């Protein structure tokens, strides 16, 4: 007997789920995307890829990197990956000392594991005075830097939207129906089970499984069927700067330890300023994606530009040529919420940032759950049941 699987959201998560389902079943798989695929959260992502996080995320990222290697070897569209490392720079001496101590003791709860073991990052502490003795960073002013951590195993996807299309093109080859410009207005239920959805065009679609991978819309959609997700939001503003004079040097991404800012080169002639207000769940809120503007708040813009010009003086004349404000989802323990919920037939894929990095493993996990009734090895760490007061329909 055939089934029909509906995926709400055509970003990197929904695309991965569609691909992994289509690799395993000939049943009908339909993706419902309110705009064009990967045009919202995925498009607005800084799209870093690095081996940091807890052991669960390490395993997930290893699977993701292996799959992306396959995709990039025989690309369907035009994704690109730039390996550049990441430099976490401290401009206060106490924080530099803290970094040095973390490296000496193989990491701590803030910086994560460090070293060269199976699930550990390769990381080096560099004193501020020695930065230009160890790294080729001609445009960077080392004077304000007291010390830094350098992780070489970090890069970024130049075109995150194209990466989602790598999944979608393969999924469509396997028969997946991708419905762009089709928003979901309602998830239908009957007798404690999800039974389908209603689109903004009034179409009623019967489904055997509803999989919600809708980024910042997850909270609202889950609430509509009585599930209060352990997920909140922070803003994710991005500034794109273009300097007057182009540099031929590939710089690492630069995280400023004492502030929420990250800087990295996106192309030969553009730099990104990213802003992450932190991962403190209690301080986060819930935003309505309908009301988010595209203009970066002036205070965030000015502080970010001033800091970038302080660390990389060559960019003092760089002009802002593009900007946007995304919505970043976060969870209480910094791991995504994936899989079954207490509503039978309704699964969730909600990230704590890192969607580009974790989406491949999330797609695989969802496919195993809905097709094989297999909780998977990730269940204890990613299931909604790990939070007090939550169950899934199998409990």
């Amino acid at each position: 007997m055939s089934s029909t699987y509906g995926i709400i959201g055509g970003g990197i998560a929904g695309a991965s789920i569609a691909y992994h389902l289509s690799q395993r079943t000939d049943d009908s798989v339909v993706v419902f995307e309110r705009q064009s695929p990967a045009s919202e959260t995925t498009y607005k992502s800084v799209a870093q890829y690095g081996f940091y996080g807890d052991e669960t995320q390490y395993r997930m990222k290893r699977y993701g990197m292996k799959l992306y290697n396959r995709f990039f070897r025989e690309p369907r569209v035009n994704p690109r990956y730039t390996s550049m490392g990441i430099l976490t720079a401290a401009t206060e001496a106490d924080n530099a000392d803290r970094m040095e101590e973390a490296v000496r003791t193989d990491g701590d709860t803030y910086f994560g594991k460090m070293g060269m073991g199976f699930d550990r990052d390769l990381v080096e502490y560099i004193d501020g005075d020695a930065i230009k003795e160890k790294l080729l960073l001609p445009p960077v002013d080392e004077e304000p830097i007291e010390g830094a951590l350098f992780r070489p195993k970090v890069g970024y996807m130049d075109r995150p939207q194209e990466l989602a299309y790598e999944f979608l093109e393969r999924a469509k080859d396997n028969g997946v129906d991708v419905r762009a410009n089709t928003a979901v207005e309602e998830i239908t239920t009957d007798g404690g089970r999800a039974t389908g959805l209603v689109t903004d065009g009034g179409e009623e679609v019967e489904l055997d499984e509803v999989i919600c991978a809708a980024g910042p819309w997850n909270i609202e959609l889950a609430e509509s069927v009585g599930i209060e997700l352990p997920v909140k939001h922070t803003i994710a503003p991005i500034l794109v700067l273009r300097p007057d004079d182009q540099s031929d040097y590939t710089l690492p991404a630069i995280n400023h330890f004492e502030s929420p800012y990250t800087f990295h080169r996106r192309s030969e002639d553009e730099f990104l300023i990213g802003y992450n207000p932190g991962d403190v769940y209690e301080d986060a809120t819930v935003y309505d994606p309908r009301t988010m503007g595209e203009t970066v708040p002036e205070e965030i813009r000015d502080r970010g530009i001033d800091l970038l010009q302080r660390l990389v003086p060559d960019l003092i004349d760089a002009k802002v040529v593009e900007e946007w404000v995304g919505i970043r989802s976060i969870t209480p323990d910094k791991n995504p919420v994936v899989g079954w919920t207490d509503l039978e037939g309704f699964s969730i894929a909600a990230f704590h940032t890192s969607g580009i990095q974790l989406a491949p493993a999330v797609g695989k996990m969802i496919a195993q759950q809905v097709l094989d009734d297999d909780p998977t090895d990730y269940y204890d760490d990613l299931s909604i049941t790990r939070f007090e007061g939550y169950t899934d329909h199998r409990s």
Side-chain angles (χ1 to χ4, degrees):
M1 184 175 178
S2 64
S3 300
T4 301
Y5 304 95
I7 301 165
I8 306 175
I12 191 71
S16 173
I17 295 165
Y19 165 79
H20 281 87
L21 285 172
S22 73
Q23 291 288 103
R24 297 277 319 283
T25 181
D26 293 327
D27 290 345
S28 177
V29 178
V30 186
V31 177
F32 299 88
E33 166 54 46
R34 61 184 300 109
Q35 296 189 21
S36 58
S39 63
E40 296 189 73
T41 304
T42 300
Y43 174 79
K44 295 175 178 179
S45 170
V46 172
Q48 282 188 3
Y49 203 116
F51 285 85
Y52 42 80
D54 67 10
E55 293 187 18
T56 298
Q57 291 193 27
Y58 268 83
R59 288 190 290 125
M60 295 174 76
K61 291 176 183 181
R62 285 168 65 92
Y63 173 76
M65 186 62 81
K66 185 175 182 179
L67 186 60
Y68 287 149
N69 266 292
R70 278 178 37 208
F71 284 4
F72 277 60
R73 184 176 178 82
E74 297 179 353
R76 297 296 181 85
V77 284
N78 190 25
R80 293 192 307 190
Y81 175 77
T82 298
S83 180
M84 77 304 189
I86 188 166
L87 189 76
T88 301
T91 51
E92 297 178 6
D94 288 349
N95 289 326
D97 292 342
R98 180 181 173 189
M99 289 178 176
E100 187 174 18
E101 177 65 18
V103 171
R104 192 162 43 238
T105 57
D106 291 334
D108 62 17
T109 56
Y110 180 84
F111 291 108
K113 291 186 176 183
M114 300 174 182
M116 297 186 65
F118 171 77
D119 59 353
R120 296 189 176 202
D121 195 11
L122 181 66
V123 64
E124 179 182 6
Y125 172 77
I126 306 174
D127 189 75
D129 294 336
I131 282 179
K132 290 199 174 178
E133 296 174 4
K134 294 194 172 187
L135 299 173
L136 188 62
L137 303 172
V140 173
D141 182 5
E142 72 273 31
E143 183 63 30
I145 300 175
E146 296 287 344
L149 295 179
F150 181 63
R151 284 184 166 98
K153 294 194 302 183
V154 177
Y156 64 94
M157 304 294 178
D158 298 51
R159 298 169 176 154
Q161 190 172 23
E162 299 275 301
L163 193 61
Y165 276 98
E166 287 292 335
F167 286 108
L168 289 174
E169 290 303 309
R170 289 169 171 81
K172 288 192 288 186
D173 287 348
N174 293 334
V176 171
D177 179 11
V178 180
R179 301 188 187 180
N181 302 307
T182 306
V184 172
E185 291 292 318
E186 180 185 352
I187 298 168
T188 57
T189 62
D190 183 30
R193 195 187 201 293
T195 57
L197 55 80
V198 181
T199 71
D200 57 351
E203 180 185 6
E204 298 182 11
V205 183
E206 292 185 2
L207 299 167
D208 295 280
E209 296 282 343
V210 178
I211 302 160
C212 193
W217 301 90
N218 276 334
I219 295 174
E220 178 181 321
L221 288 165
E223 282 183 350
S224 74
V225 291
I227 300 171
E228 185 177 343
L229 291 178
V231 177
K232 292 184 180 180
H233 294 150
T234 63
I235 60 171
I238 297 288
L239 293 170
V240 183
L241 279 69
R242 184 172 296 153
D244 291 336
D245 298 321
Q246 308 308 317
S247 170
D248 294 330
Y249 299 102
T250 299
L251 292 176
I254 301 174
N255 279 353
H256 183 231
F257 183 78
E258 286 84 5
S259 78
Y261 291 97
T262 299
F263 315 105
H264 80 71
R265 195 169 187 168
R266 185 168 75 161
S267 64
E268 291 183 0
D269 59 352
E270 290 182 342
F271 282 81
L272 294 186
I273 299 179
Y275 177 89
N276 184 346
D279 296 332
V280 181
Y281 187 77
E282 291 74 17
D283 295 339
T285 186
V286 175
Y287 290 106
D288 183 348
R290 302 175 189 82
T291 63
M292 290 299 292
E294 293 297 301
T295 302
V296 174
E298 186 174 355
E299 181 181 359
I300 293 175
R301 169 198 292 257
D302 291 345
R303 287 178 57 207
I305 293 173
D306 288 347
L307 181 59
L308 176 62
Q309 292 172 346
R310 180 184 173 201
L311 296 174
V312 189
D314 286 8
L315 299 180
I316 196 164
D317 295 321
K319 306 294 190 301
V320 176
V321 296
E322 190 178 359
E323 62 186 291
W324 60 80
V325 180
I327 298 176
R328 182 185 292 109
S329 297
I330 67 171
T331 67
D333 63 1
K334 302 184 181 182
N335 274 334
V337 178
V338 184
W340 297 311
T341 66
D342 62 4
L343 177 64
E344 187 174 0
F346 181 78
S347 296
I348 193 75
F351 290 95
H352 178 97
T353 71
S354 302
I356 297 290
Q357 305 179 73
L358 303 180
V362 166
K364 182 181 180 182
M365 178 179 174
I366 292 282
Q368 286 182 245
Q369 287 194 355
V370 301
L371 296 177
D372 304 331
D373 198 35
D374 175 12
T376 80
D377 293 339
Y378 296 121
Y379 181 84
D380 290 341
D381 296 313
L382 302 187
S383 168
I384 198 170
T385 62
R386 70 186 189 269
F387 298 110
E388 185 178 354
Y390 288 90
T391 61
D392 66 41
H393 66 87
R394 300 168 75 257
S395 301

Short mmCIF file of all heavy atoms in Angstrom, two decimals, residues 312-336:
data_model
loop_
_atom_site.label_atom_id
_atom_site.label_comp_id
_atom_site.label_asym_id
_atom_site.label_seq_id
_atom_site.Cartn_x
_atom_site.Cartn_y
_atom_site.Cartn_z
N VAL A 312 40.67 44.94 10.35
CA VAL A 312 41.14 44.86 8.96
C VAL A 312 41.10 46.27 8.36
O VAL A 312 40.17 46.64 7.65
CB VAL A 312 40.29 43.89 8.13
CG1 VAL A 312 40.93 43.64 6.75
CG2 VAL A 312 40.07 42.57 8.85
N PRO A 313 42.10 47.11 8.66
CA PRO A 313 42.07 48.52 8.25
C PRO A 313 41.96 48.73 6.74
O PRO A 313 41.48 49.78 6.30
CB PRO A 313 43.40 49.06 8.78
CG PRO A 313 43.79 48.13 9.89
CD PRO A 313 43.28 46.79 9.48
N ASP A 314 42.36 47.74 5.94
CA ASP A 314 42.25 47.88 4.49
C ASP A 314 40.80 48.07 4.03
O ASP A 314 40.55 48.52 2.92
CB ASP A 314 42.81 46.64 3.79
CG ASP A 314 44.33 46.60 3.83
OD1 ASP A 314 44.93 47.44 4.53
OD2 ASP A 314 44.92 45.71 3.18
N LEU A 315 39.85 47.74 4.91
CA LEU A 315 38.44 47.82 4.53
C LEU A 315 37.79 49.11 5.02
O LEU A 315 36.56 49.22 5.02
CB LEU A 315 37.67 46.62 5.08
CG LEU A 315 38.14 45.25 4.59
CD1 LEU A 315 37.31 44.14 5.22
CD2 LEU A 315 38.06 45.17 3.07
N ILE A 316 38.60 50.09 5.38
CA ILE A 316 38.04 51.31 5.97
C ILE A 316 37.13 52.06 4.99
O ILE A 316 36.20 52.76 5.39
CB ILE A 316 39.17 52.23 6.49
CG1 ILE A 316 38.58 53.29 7.43
CG2 ILE A 316 39.95 52.87 5.33
CD1 ILE A 316 39.61 53.99 8.27
N ASP A 317 37.37 51.89 3.70
CA ASP A 317 36.53 52.57 2.70
C ASP A 317 35.50 51.64 2.07
O ASP A 317 34.85 52.03 1.08
CB ASP A 317 37.42 53.16 1.60
CG ASP A 317 38.33 54.26 2.12
OD1 ASP A 317 37.86 55.04 2.97
OD2 ASP A 317 39.50 54.33 1.69
N ALA A 318 35.32 50.45 2.60
CA ALA A 318 34.36 49.51 2.03
C ALA A 318 32.94 50.03 2.18
O ALA A 318 32.58 50.63 3.20
CB ALA A 318 34.50 48.14 2.69
N LYS A 319 32.14 49.80 1.16
CA LYS A 319 30.75 50.27 1.14
C LYS A 319 29.79 49.10 1.31
O LYS A 319 30.02 48.00 0.80
CB LYS A 319 30.44 50.97 -0.19
CG LYS A 319 31.38 52.10 -0.55
CD LYS A 319 31.27 53.27 0.42
CE LYS A 319 32.02 54.50 -0.08
NZ LYS A 319 33.46 54.26 -0.28
N VAL A 320 28.70 49.34 2.05
CA VAL A 320 27.65 48.34 2.18
C VAL A 320 26.87 48.28 0.87
O VAL A 320 26.30 49.28 0.43
CB VAL A 320 26.69 48.66 3.35
CG1 VAL A 320 25.54 47.65 3.39
CG2 VAL A 320 27.44 48.65 4.68
N VAL A 321 26.86 47.10 0.24
CA VAL A 321 26.18 46.97 -1.05
C VAL A 321 24.93 46.09 -0.96
O VAL A 321 24.11 46.07 -1.88
CB VAL A 321 27.13 46.39 -2.13
CG1 VAL A 321 28.27 47.35 -2.39
CG2 VAL A 321 27.68 45.02 -1.71
N GLU A 322 24.77 45.39 0.15
CA GLU A 322 23.60 44.54 0.34
C GLU A 322 23.45 44.25 1.83
O GLU A 322 24.43 44.26 2.57
CB GLU A 322 23.77 43.22 -0.43
CG GLU A 322 22.52 42.38 -0.51
CD GLU A 322 22.73 41.10 -1.34
OE1 GLU A 322 23.85 40.90 -1.86
OE2 GLU A 322 21.78 40.31 -1.45
N GLU A 323 22.23 44.01 2.26
CA GLU A 323 21.98 43.67 3.66
C GLU A 323 20.68 42.90 3.78
O GLU A 323 19.80 43.00 2.93
CB GLU A 323 21.94 44.92 4.54
CG GLU A 323 20.83 45.90 4.19
CD GLU A 323 20.95 47.19 4.99
OE1 GLU A 323 20.73 47.14 6.22
OE2 GLU A 323 21.25 48.22 4.39
N TRP A 324 20.59 42.11 4.83
CA TRP A 324 19.35 41.41 5.10
C TRP A 324 19.31 41.02 6.57
O TRP A 324 20.33 41.04 7.27
CB TRP A 324 19.17 40.20 4.20
CG TRP A 324 20.22 39.15 4.31
CD1 TRP A 324 20.35 38.17 5.27
CD2 TRP A 324 21.32 38.94 3.41
NE1 TRP A 324 21.44 37.39 5.02
CE2 TRP A 324 22.05 37.83 3.88
CE3 TRP A 324 21.76 39.58 2.25
CZ2 TRP A 324 23.20 37.36 3.24
CZ3 TRP A 324 22.89 39.10 1.61
CH2 TRP A 324 23.59 38.01 2.10
N VAL A 325 18.13 40.65 7.05
CA VAL A 325 17.97 40.18 8.43
C VAL A 325 17.24 38.85 8.38
O VAL A 325 16.07 38.78 7.98
CB VAL A 325 17.18 41.19 9.28
CG1 VAL A 325 17.04 40.66 10.71
CG2 VAL A 325 17.87 42.55 9.29
N GLY A 326 17.93 37.80 8.75
CA GLY A 326 17.31 36.49 8.85
C GLY A 326 16.84 36.22 10.27
O GLY A 326 17.03 37.03 11.18
N ILE A 327 16.22 35.07 10.44
CA ILE A 327 15.79 34.62 11.77
C ILE A 327 16.51 33.31 12.07
O ILE A 327 16.44 32.37 11.30
CB ILE A 327 14.27 34.41 11.84
CG1 ILE A 327 13.53 35.73 11.57
CG2 ILE A 327 13.87 33.84 13.19
CD1 ILE A 327 12.02 35.60 11.53
N ARG A 328 17.20 33.30 13.18
CA ARG A 328 17.97 32.12 13.60
C ARG A 328 17.18 31.38 14.68
O ARG A 328 16.75 31.98 15.67
CB ARG A 328 19.32 32.58 14.14
CG ARG A 328 20.25 31.47 14.58
CD ARG A 328 21.51 32.04 15.22
NE ARG A 328 22.36 32.75 14.26
CZ ARG A 328 22.52 34.06 14.24
NH1 ARG A 328 21.88 34.83 15.12
NH2 ARG A 328 23.32 34.62 13.36
N SER A 329 16.98 30.09 14.50
CA SER A 329 16.30 29.28 15.51
C SER A 329 17.32 28.72 16.49
O SER A 329 18.43 28.34 16.10
CB SER A 329 15.54 28.12 14.85
OG SER A 329 14.53 28.60 13.99
N ILE A 330 16.95 28.66 17.77
CA ILE A 330 17.83 28.08 18.78
C ILE A 330 17.01 27.20 19.73
O ILE A 330 15.80 27.38 19.89
CB ILE A 330 18.62 29.14 19.58
CG1 ILE A 330 17.70 29.99 20.46
CG2 ILE A 330 19.42 30.04 18.65
CD1 ILE A 330 18.48 30.91 21.42
N THR A 331 17.69 26.24 20.35
CA THR A 331 17.06 25.32 21.29
C THR A 331 17.77 25.41 22.63
O THR A 331 18.87 25.98 22.73
CB THR A 331 17.15 23.87 20.77
OG1 THR A 331 18.53 23.46 20.76
CG2 THR A 331 16.57 23.75 19.36
N PRO A 332 17.17 24.87 23.71
CA PRO A 332 17.79 25.01 25.03
C PRO A 332 19.17 24.37 25.16
O PRO A 332 20.01 24.85 25.91
CB PRO A 332 16.78 24.31 25.96
CG PRO A 332 15.47 24.40 25.24
CD PRO A 332 15.82 24.28 23.79
N ASP A 333 19.44 23.26 24.43
CA ASP A 333 20.71 22.55 24.60
C ASP A 333 21.62 22.62 23.37
O ASP A 333 22.61 21.90 23.29
CB ASP A 333 20.47 21.10 24.99
CG ASP A 333 19.73 20.31 23.91
OD1 ASP A 333 19.41 20.89 22.85
OD2 ASP A 333 19.46 19.11 24.13
N LYS A 334 21.26 23.47 22.41
CA LYS A 334 22.08 23.74 21.23
C LYS A 334 22.11 22.60 20.21
O LYS A 334 22.87 22.65 19.26
CB LYS A 334 23.52 24.11 21.62
CG LYS A 334 23.61 25.32 22.53
CD LYS A 334 25.05 25.70 22.81
CE LYS A 334 25.11 26.90 23.76
NZ LYS A 334 26.52 27.32 24.02
N ASN A 335 21.26 21.60 20.39
CA ASN A 335 21.10 20.56 19.39
C ASN A 335 19.75 20.70 18.71
O ASN A 335 18.80 21.22 19.32
CB ASN A 335 21.23 19.17 20.02
CG ASN A 335 22.67 18.70 20.11
OD1 ASN A 335 23.52 19.12 19.34
ND2 ASN A 335 22.94 17.81 21.06
N PRO A 336 19.62 20.25 17.48
CA PRO A 336 18.32 20.37 16.81
C PRO A 336 17.27 19.46 17.43
O PRO A 336 17.58 18.54 18.20
CB PRO A 336 18.63 19.93 15.36
CG PRO A 336 19.87 19.10 15.46
CD PRO A 336 20.65 19.65 16.61
#
